[in-house]
Amino acid sequence: MAKSYKIAVIPGDGTGPEVTAEAVKVLNAAAGKFGFKLDMTSFDFGGERYKRTGETLPDSAIEELRKFDSILLGAIGHPDVKPGILEKGILLKARFELDQYINLRPVRLYPGVETPIKGKGPDDIDFVVVRENTGDLYTGTGGFTMKGTPQEVAVQSAVYTRFQVDRCLKYAFEYTKKYGKKARGKGQNNTLALSGKTNVLTYVYDLWERAFHEMGQKQYPDIKREYYHVDATCMWFVKNPEWFDVIVTGNMFGDIITDLGAMIQGGMGIAAGGNINPEGVSMFEPIGGSAPKYTGQGVINPLAAICAGSMMLETLGEQKAATKIEDAVKFVTANKLKSLAAGKMGYSTSQVGDLVAGELAK
Ligand code: IPM
Ligand code: MN
């Protein structure tokens, strides 16, 4: 019998539903071609539901989502809802409650895509950021005292446990072993770089650095280890992106450097990520926002959502189908699209989905 996967689909807000529809189209085409089934169930979590019911992602929904093999998310963020409510209530809640402790964000420049970095091409911009996804400034540890007075104090702490750091590093080393540049026939070494700030954050990144070298020395002697301060990481992303292979970092720095990464790979139209629980239910998303101003116009680029779908299939173990989708996306960027920017692609959102699905069918 054909393998079947239960997928929860959360199209979300703004242009989320439009890009998700194209990802679903392409995923179904891949399933048909490679002989597996995707049993999809849609959920309406997002700004509209919150406005209607006051509910973000209730605990009962978390329990329900646990029963799926994977989750595909469009975008969260609504212009009428105060910033923070949906982000914390839906996106971060899912990441934390489902313990999706890895945020995997490939930074790959596909052929035909314009990068703002002069003189660099697809061979130069080809790395992956492994962002820790449960700790750091994101834990909400802290608070106010004397709020509203001139003496007000606000504290928000970067929190990491050795356990969190070790499990993230383990994933990053294993990922590097399997998908590093040497493993892919693209370099002399498989290299894992830690991006931190050991010169200032002398507790948190001291822990990361010790754990990094201990694990590397003992368990992964063949993987080359490098260290960069986070500010320097930004500098080298722009100047020498070809230096990077796999980068591991904490949650906050990972958030920041992957926006920079997204820009050098051609923008939010193409950047995808996975919130991964290697032992549980993972969630895949285009990393850009809901872009509400483009809602309903059919101009938003669905490739990031389609690439998120490809990452989902890879994590489910459908490697061939995942690679085929990525190859179809590369064909479309190289041969069809005028630009990746919303409204400038030369095609509508659904036409781009059709192009990828059509290429896939070949
Ligand atoms: C991201 C986003 C989120 C984050 C926001 C929306 C909470 O910026 O996925 O990178 O900070 O992680
Ligand atoms: Mn971000």
Side-chain angles (χ1 to χ4, degrees):
M1 219 178 72
K3 242 185 165 171
S4 179
Y5 302 97
K6 286 179 65 174
I7 310 297
V9 181
I10 308 177
D13 300 319
T15 52
E18 290 163 63
V19 297
T20 304
E22 300 316 308
V24 166
K25 183 192 282 176
V26 170
L27 283 168
N28 281 328
K33 187 172 173 87
F34 289 91
F36 58 89
K37 279 199 157 146
L38 295 170
D39 174 10
M40 303 203 200
T41 309
S42 191
F43 293 87
D44 68 350
F45 303 114
E48 289 301 328
R49 176 167 170 152
Y50 173 74
K51 276 173 57 189
R52 231 174 33 241
T53 67
E55 236 172 22
T56 47
L57 189 62
D59 293 340
S60 59
I62 295 285
E63 289 320 308
E64 203 169 338
L65 291 173
R66 281 188 210 284
K67 297 179 197 146
F68 285 83
D69 292 307
S70 203
I71 305 166
L72 186 67
L73 175 71
I76 296 295
H78 195 293
D80 303 342
V81 181
K82 203 175 141 222
I85 293 180
L86 301 172
E87 292 86 339
K88 278 193 179 169
I90 300 177
L91 188 61
L92 297 181
K93 183 164 178 178
R95 289 178 184 172
F96 284 111
E97 294 291 322
L98 299 172
D99 206 17
Q100 295 162 340
Y101 61 87
I102 298 297
N103 196 327
L104 190 68
R105 296 188 162 182
V107 178
R108 274 185 211 125
L109 181 66
Y110 288 147
V113 175
E114 205 180 323
T115 172
I117 314 280
K118 198 174 82 186
K120 302 291 178 187
D123 286 339
D124 303 306
I125 300 173
D126 179 13
F127 60 86
V128 177
V129 178
V130 177
R131 164 186 174 189
E132 201 289 329
N133 213 26
T134 60
D136 210 339
L137 290 163
Y138 280 74
T139 56
T141 308
F144 298 109
T145 43
M146 294 175 279
K147 191 172 177 187
T149 73
Q151 290 77 31
E152 177 166 352
V153 182
V155 177
Q156 197 134 17
S157 304
V159 179
Y160 266 116
T161 66
R162 178 78 195 227
F163 169 78
Q164 284 175 313
V165 171
D166 274 340
R167 69 179 180 174
C168 177
L169 289 171
K170 178 99 200 151
Y171 182 92
F173 276 114
E174 287 294 329
Y175 186 91
T176 308
K177 189 160 120 183
K178 206 164 158 197
Y179 299 110
K181 282 191 170 165
K182 186 175 177 193
R184 291 189 289 129
K186 298 208 163 171
Q188 300 280 305
N189 296 295
N190 290 327
T191 308
L192 180 62
L194 172 65
S195 180
K197 191 72 186 171
T198 52
N199 52 349
V200 176
L201 304 182
T202 49
Y203 305 123
V204 163
Y205 278 98
D206 186 86
L207 167 59
W208 273 91
E209 196 182 34
R210 275 182 285 120
F212 176 64
H213 290 300
E214 269 174 40
M215 189 178 287
Q217 247 159 31
K218 281 197 200 125
Q219 298 176 43
Y220 303 94
D222 297 339
I223 295 177
K224 190 171 167 211
R225 273 170 280 132
E226 289 178 342
Y227 171 81
Y228 299 90
H229 291 321
V230 66
D231 45 353
T233 308
C234 293
M235 180 171 84
W236 299 124
F237 269 18
V238 173
K239 186 156 189 302
N240 292 106
E242 69 279 4
W243 286 358
F244 295 102
D245 185 354
V246 183
I247 299 162
V248 63
T249 188
N251 206 349
M252 188 75 257
F253 293 165
D255 177 47
I256 298 166
I257 67 174
T258 53
D259 265 26
L260 180 55
M263 284 304 122
I264 70 172
Q265 76 181 118
M268 288 301 181
I270 193 79
N275 302 278
I276 297 176
N277 176 342
E279 298 88 33
V281 186
S282 302
M283 177 171 76
F284 299 83
E285 53 174 344
I287 80 171
S290 58
K293 69 175 177 186
Y294 296 119
T295 305
Q297 297 176 26
V299 295
I300 197 83
N301 187 338
L303 289 181
I306 291 169
C307 289
S310 161
M311 291 180 75
M312 181 177 89
L313 293 186
E314 180 171 318
T315 307
L316 288 170
E318 296 293 341
Q319 182 66 55
K320 274 193 193 146
T323 306
K324 185 80 186 174
I325 294 179
E326 198 182 6
D327 288 346
V329 168
K330 284 185 194 163
F331 175 82
V332 169
T333 60
N335 300 297
K336 302 285 180 186
L337 300 198
K338 284 202 209 115
S339 156
L340 295 191
K344 297 185 180 150
M345 299 185 291
Y347 296 90
S348 71
T349 304
S350 73
Q351 284 174 330
V352 175
D354 290 341
L355 286 171
V356 178
E359 180 58 25
L360 188 76
K362 284 184 193 160

